[in-house]
Amino acid sequence: MLYNDDFLLLHYPKTAGKSVAVYFCQNFAGPIHGRVSKGQVREIGMGADEDVHLEVAGGHDNFMAARKVLKERDVDILGFRACLVPIRNPYDQMVSNYAFLRRSYDRNPRVRDRPSFALAAETTFPEFCARVTIADFANFVPPERVRDKLPLELIRFETLAASLSDLMARYGLDETHPLPHLNASDRPRDFASMYDDATKAHVDHKLDSLFRIGGYPKEL
């Protein structure tokens, strides 16, 4: 997660998180604080001299985890102007996740004892979708009961640069740097071709809250 005095950014996996993190640090006012992965620290490439203060952590804090961390820092999570969460078509997101896990397993021996990486490496995509455990997206974002105090801004991967530019304009902020394109996925571009009816049904069920909250139709 990243945050400044006004905005909180939560990074849902496989939604161009490194690119959005760099954009946030380059365009939003400091001081900026965050818990990000080692890779994101390198990609952001900014530090105290730019009023950016990062610590290495998991990088995918959900809303409840972020609330706990912020409370320990005496920051009221409901005091932000908005919570920003990039999202992605769930069918595409699952294909991208599968490709990422398999590639990482091949290239990085340190992840080979992690169940999700091993599962992706050892299975076909249909079997992976049937067996993988996916955290509920509903727990990742502010619950509906608090969104009158903390508006949720969903930023679609499919129109990422335009959506970020629009968000900046709506909140009266100047966009000083364009969205960089980092860590491009090598997933199949025609993600629909990866699916049969059974595989689609698994994704429809396991990512149901992302379809619902993100407004994505369950159609390929």
Side-chain angles (χ1 to χ4, degrees):
M1 70 174 180
L2 293 169
Y3 64 94
N4 68 358
D5 289 344
D6 295 318
F7 297 93
L8 170 66
L9 172 68
L10 297 179
H11 173 206
Y12 190 64
K14 309 315 300 173
T15 55
K18 289 183 180 179
S19 297
V20 176
V22 171
Y23 180 93
F24 189 95
C25 291
Q26 290 180 336
N27 285 281
F28 286 73
I32 291 172
H33 300 272
R35 288 160 44 92
V36 299
S37 68
K38 285 184 180 180
Q40 285 179 313
V41 171
R42 290 193 299 269
E43 296 286 359
I44 291 170
M46 300 170 68
D49 289 345
E50 295 86 11
D51 213 4
V52 175
H53 312 274
L54 305 176
E55 62 180 270
V56 175
H60 293 295
D61 291 317
N62 65 17
F63 178 78
M64 294 307 297
R67 189 170 200 168
K68 180 181 179 181
V69 170
L70 291 169
K71 184 177 181 180
E72 293 171 352
R73 300 178 181 184
D74 200 27
V75 176
D76 180 8
I77 199 169
L78 300 183
F80 293 110
R81 293 178 67 187
C83 176
L84 318 180
V85 181
I87 58 172
R88 185 175 191 166
N89 181 295
Y91 301 118
D92 189 21
Q93 194 266 354
M94 186 67 91
V95 171
S96 178
N97 188 37
Y98 177 69
F100 166 77
L101 294 172
R102 287 172 64 88
R103 182 175 69 251
S104 298
Y105 186 92
D106 287 341
R107 298 178 180 177
N108 185 359
R110 291 175 297 178
V111 305
R112 291 176 183 166
D113 60 347
R114 300 182 189 179
S116 59
F117 290 84
L119 177 64
E122 296 166 0
T123 61
T124 63
F125 181 66
E127 185 178 355
F128 173 79
C129 291
R131 294 173 54 187
V132 69
T133 299
I134 302 292
D136 189 352
F137 180 75
N139 295 329
F140 201 87
V141 298
E144 288 189 31
R145 67 179 182 275
V146 304
R147 290 182 200 163
D148 58 331
K149 298 178 181 178
L150 178 63
L152 172 61
E153 294 283 357
L154 298 175
I155 306 166
R156 288 203 172 200
F157 175 91
E158 295 78 20
T159 55
L160 195 56
S163 294
L164 286 166
S165 296
D166 175 70
L167 182 144
M168 297 289 284
R170 286 191 287 109
Y171 283 92
L173 305 175
D174 293 329
E175 185 178 52
T176 58
H177 293 77
L179 176 74
H181 188 59
L182 304 173
N183 200 32
S185 172
D186 60 359
R187 76 196 190 286
R189 297 298 166 178
D190 180 20
F191 61 84
S193 66
M194 297 286 288
Y195 287 88
D196 56 24
D197 289 345
T199 305
K200 177 181 180 299
H202 288 304
V203 174
D204 289 350
H205 172 69
K206 294 183 178 185
L207 291 174
D208 179 70
S209 60
L210 178 54
F211 283 104
R212 175 172 48 82
I213 297 170
Y216 287 100
K218 291 182 177 180
E219 300 173 356
L220 284 167

